[in-house]
Amino acid sequence: MRDTTANEVSRIDTQVLAGRYRLLNPLAEGGMGTVWLAADEMLRRDVAVKEVRLPPDLPPLQRQDVFAAALREANLAARLKHPSIITIHDVVVEDDRPWIVMELLTGESLERTVTERRPLPPIQAARVGVGILSALVAAHAAGVLHRDVKPGNIFLTRTGKAVLTDFGIAVAEGDATSGQTSRLIGSPNYIAPERLRGERGGPYSDLWSLGATLYFAVEGVPPHPAETPISALSKVLTEPPRPPGLAGALGPVLMRMLDPLPVARPSFEEVAEALKEIALDRPAAAFPAPADLPGPSPAASTGPGRTFPPGRPARRDPGPRRGRALLWAAAEVAAVAAVIGATAAVVNLTGDRPAEAVPVRLSEKPGAFATPVDLCALLPAERVKQLLPALTGAGKPTNKGGCEWTTSGKGLSVQPAGSDGQWGKSPRQAHELFVNQRNAAIPNGQIAWSWPEISAGSRSARSTGPVAVRSAGEESFGYDVYENRRTGRLEQTYVTLRVDNLVVEVGYTVVDGTKDGPAIQSGARTAATWVAEALNKQKAAG
C-alpha cells in the first residue's frame, strides 16, 4: 500500500466524518489502511478511526470485496463485549468507503514492545495470556473465530491490560466458507498447522496461535523461526517448535498449546488455570506432555482439548518419538502441496477438509448392535425427570426409530444418526457415519424448526459448528441452536455419539425460558452420558 503523503495528511486531517469525527493525525499504517487519531466532536472524546484505503487502480470488484470485508470485521467485533477485546463505537461510510470508529488505546502492540525493547518475563506474558484467552473464550461463545491471533494484533495498554484487536479475517457461525477457495493472509508463524493445510480450523486453532504469540512474547522469536514466510510455512507443517529457553514455568504450557495435533492440545480451562498460577507467581501444577494419542489424524479433531475415553483400544506403542516422527513425516506431504504456488504475503489454499483417518483397530465385522435398539428403553422415566420434572409417562417412539420425552416447553430426544441408523454394520462404518455427521454440522444461520408436542411453534434459528464433548461414547461432538428472533437465547443442544457400531443423536430442548444456556448444554451432555452408559451395558450383556 502506498504511503500517505504530506499533502494528503494536510487534506485529510481537516476532514470530518459523519459530521462528528474530525481526523487529526495518523497513528499507524496497516496492510489495508491507516489508523487515525480523531476527535468525536459530539461526545467530546478522542477515538481511533481505521481508514480502509486501496490503490486507485484496483479493479472495482476487488474494491467491493475489501470494503465488504471491512464492514464484516466491524460487525463481528461490535457484537463482542469484553474488557480484552477492542470496542467498536461506530461504522461510517464516506467517500464510498467504510471508516471504523474504535476506542482509543494508549500503549504499544506486543510485537513492537518485544522487538524494540526486550522479551517479557514469563509472569508478565502469562498475564497477557490470561486476558487474551478470556477474550477468545468470549468470542468463541458468540460464534466468532478470530483466526489472526499474533503479536501485532495484541495491544498492551499503559495500564497493563492486553487487548485483542483486528478481526479482519475472523469468521462467524453461518459464514459460507466450506468448499470455497480462501486466502490465508498474515504470517504463517502464527497460523495453526491445520489451517495451513487448508482446513477451516476451530477454537483449537486460535489456541495454537495464542501459544505461538506467547512464545514470541517470552523468547523474542516465533516458535518456528524462519527467514521467509514460505520457509516458516514449511517449518510449521513439518517441524516441532524450537524448545523455549527463557519461558521458565510457561514453557510446558506453550509446548502443549503448540502441539501439531489439535486433539493433543489442552483445553481452554487447563490453559487458563495454568496461566493464572504463573501470572500470580505461584508454582503451577505439572503440565505433562500428552501421551501418544490413538485415533484420528490432526485433521480429524473437533475442538480444543478433546480426549479419547479409556475404553478406546490402544494402538501398539511405537514410543512417543516415533509417533511424533510419523506425524512430521506425514505433514511433509501437505507442506509440499501447500508451498507450491504460495507467495511471500498470501498463501492460497482450499477450504475443503481432508479425508478423515480411521481410528486404529476399528473392526470391519458387524458390531454389537446387529438389530435395532429400543432407544426408549435406554432411559427410564425416573431418570429423565431430572431434566423434565413435569414428565408423567415413558418416552414415545418416533417414526425414525428414535424416542422422545416431552413436556410443555421442554423435550429430550434420542435418534439414530443417518438415514438407516447404521443397524448391523461395523464399528468402522459407524465411525465413517459419525465423521459425516460431524462434518455436516457446520454453522448455519437459516434453520427453521418446530416441535408442537412441547408447544414450540415455527421458529427461526441458527446453529453453531461442532464442539468437543467429553466422556460420551467412544466418539462424540455437540452443537447448539440459538433463536434468531427476539431473545437470541440458546434453546437446543445436541450431542452425537458413537458406541461400537451405533451412532445416535441426543437433543435437549428448552423453549419456555426456564433454563439458561449452560443448563441446556449441561442437560444434553448429561443425557448423552446416560445413553452411552446404557448402550455400553447392553453391549457388555451381549
Side-chain angles (χ1 to χ4, degrees):
M1 187 183 73
R2 62 190 175 86
D3 294 332
T4 303
T5 66
N7 288 338
E8 286 178 310
V9 172
S10 176
R11 176 182 59 81
I12 295 177
D13 65 8
T14 61
Q15 183 174 350
V16 178
L17 304 175
R20 62 181 289 187
Y21 303 111
R22 183 176 298 278
L23 302 183
L24 300 177
N25 59 270
L27 295 174
E29 292 284 341
M32 288 171 50
T34 302
V35 177
W36 293 82
L37 171 65
D40 182 347
E41 297 183 336
M42 179 179 292
L43 297 181
R44 298 184 180 277
R45 63 180 177 182
D46 289 337
V47 294
V49 176
K50 181 177 180 179
E51 174 197 7
V52 179
R53 284 191 295 109
L54 296 173
D57 57 347
L58 196 69
L61 289 179
Q62 291 187 32
R63 296 178 67 86
Q64 291 176 15
D65 287 344
V66 173
F67 293 157
L71 289 174
R72 182 171 159 277
E73 172 194 353
N75 289 331
L76 285 177
R79 65 193 257 192
L80 304 175
K81 304 300 180 185
H82 189 278
S84 288
I85 295 178
I86 187 80
T87 299
I88 302 298
H89 295 315
D90 198 0
V91 179
V92 175
V93 177
E94 191 123 343
D95 298 331
D96 295 323
R97 294 183 289 161
W99 302 69
I100 303 172
V101 183
M102 307 172 290
E103 67 173 314
L104 179 64
L105 300 174
T106 57
E108 290 182 336
S109 71
L110 175 61
E111 180 179 40
R112 187 171 179 178
T113 298
V114 172
T115 301
E116 297 186 358
R117 298 181 185 176
R118 59 182 177 82
L120 305 184
I123 292 176
Q124 187 179 354
R127 290 172 183 164
V128 171
V130 169
I132 301 304
L133 188 73
S134 177
L136 289 174
V137 169
H140 297 161
V144 176
L145 302 176
H146 190 279
R147 302 201 309 164
D148 198 22
V149 179
K150 60 184 181 181
N153 287 341
I154 292 177
F155 198 89
L156 305 182
T157 70
R158 291 179 180 174
T159 61
K161 183 173 67 172
V163 179
L164 182 61
T165 68
D166 202 341
F167 283 74
I169 62 171
V171 292
E173 58 187 14
D175 283 354
T177 59
S178 179
Q180 296 178 357
T181 299
S182 61
R183 297 192 303 171
L184 290 177
I185 302 176
S187 171
N189 278 307
Y190 303 100
I191 300 176
E194 62 271 12
R195 287 196 55 236
L196 289 178
R197 286 191 297 269
E199 301 166 46
R200 178 188 175 94
Y204 47 88
S205 304
D206 278 349
L207 186 70
W208 191 97
S209 298
L210 177 59
T213 297
L214 295 180
Y215 184 106
F216 171 84
V218 291
E219 296 293 320
V221 294
H224 299 85
E227 294 182 359
T228 67
I230 301 301
S231 177
L233 183 151
S234 178
K235 286 187 174 184
V236 171
L237 286 169
T238 63
E239 297 179 9
R242 166 185 173 270
L246 304 173
L250 196 55
V253 184
L254 298 178
M255 295 304 282
R256 281 289 308 278
M257 295 171 72
L258 291 168
D259 198 294
L261 277 168
V263 295
R265 292 170 203 158
S267 68
F268 277 66
E269 293 81 3
E270 290 172 324
V271 174
E273 186 62 30
L275 291 178
K276 286 176 183 177
E277 293 299 310
I278 297 170
L280 293 172
D281 198 17
R282 296 199 298 235
F287 214 78
D292 191 35
L293 291 171
S297 70
S301 98
T302 60
R306 177 178 168 198
T307 58
F308 292 84
R312 176 68 63 83
R315 63 175 159 189
R316 294 186 184 91
D317 183 14
R321 291 185 179 179
R322 179 173 179 269
R324 294 298 176 196
L326 288 175
L327 173 63
W328 302 125
E332 286 179 357
V333 177
V336 172
V339 171
I340 294 176
T343 69
V346 179
V347 181
N348 292 310
L349 298 168
T350 63
D352 295 329
R353 298 183 179 184
E356 180 83 13
V358 179
V360 176
R361 289 187 178 179
L362 281 185
S363 174
E364 296 279 8
K365 297 179 180 180
F369 306 106
T371 58
V373 174
D374 182 359
L375 296 181
C376 286
L378 295 178
L379 300 181
E382 290 305 314
R383 171 163 270 189
V384 178
K385 280 186 178 181
Q386 296 180 38
L387 299 176
L388 310 177
L391 186 69
T392 57
K396 298 180 180 179
T398 67
N399 57 10
K400 293 185 178 180
C403 189
E404 59 185 32
W405 297 259
T406 58
T407 64
S408 179
K410 298 183 181 69
L412 179 69
S413 64
V414 182
Q415 303 285 352
S419 58
D420 59 3
Q422 288 286 291
W423 304 115
K425 296 190 177 179
S426 71
R428 181 187 176 97
Q429 290 171 313
H431 165 75
E432 293 173 354
L433 170 66
F434 173 86
V435 171
N436 289 338
Q437 296 293 114
R438 193 186 65 203
N439 288 346
I442 60 175
N444 193 319
Q446 303 294 328
I447 296 176
W449 67 278
S450 64
W451 195 350
E453 289 79 6
I454 67 170
S455 304
S458 179
R459 314 173 88 78
S460 171
R462 56 189 173 89
S463 70
T464 67
V467 296
V469 174
R470 301 181 180 183
S471 304
E474 296 170 52
E475 296 180 280
S476 57
F477 74 88
Y479 64 93
D480 300 321
V481 177
Y482 291 83
E483 184 187 36
N484 261 344
R485 301 170 184 167
R486 299 190 303 277
T487 65
R489 66 190 174 206
L490 188 149
E491 293 188 325
Q492 297 181 303
T493 290
Y494 289 91
V495 176
T496 298
L497 61 97
R498 180 182 70 83
V499 174
D500 200 76
N501 66 306
L502 179 62
V503 182
V504 296
E505 182 179 73
V506 180
Y508 183 43
T509 302
V510 178
V511 297
D512 60 5
T514 58
K515 299 280 188 181
D516 60 14
I520 296 173
Q521 293 170 331
S522 175
R525 295 176 185 190
T526 297
T529 301
W530 293 341
V531 169
E533 291 173 350
L535 289 173
N536 278 317
K537 286 182 180 179
Q538 287 195 18
K539 177 182 175 181

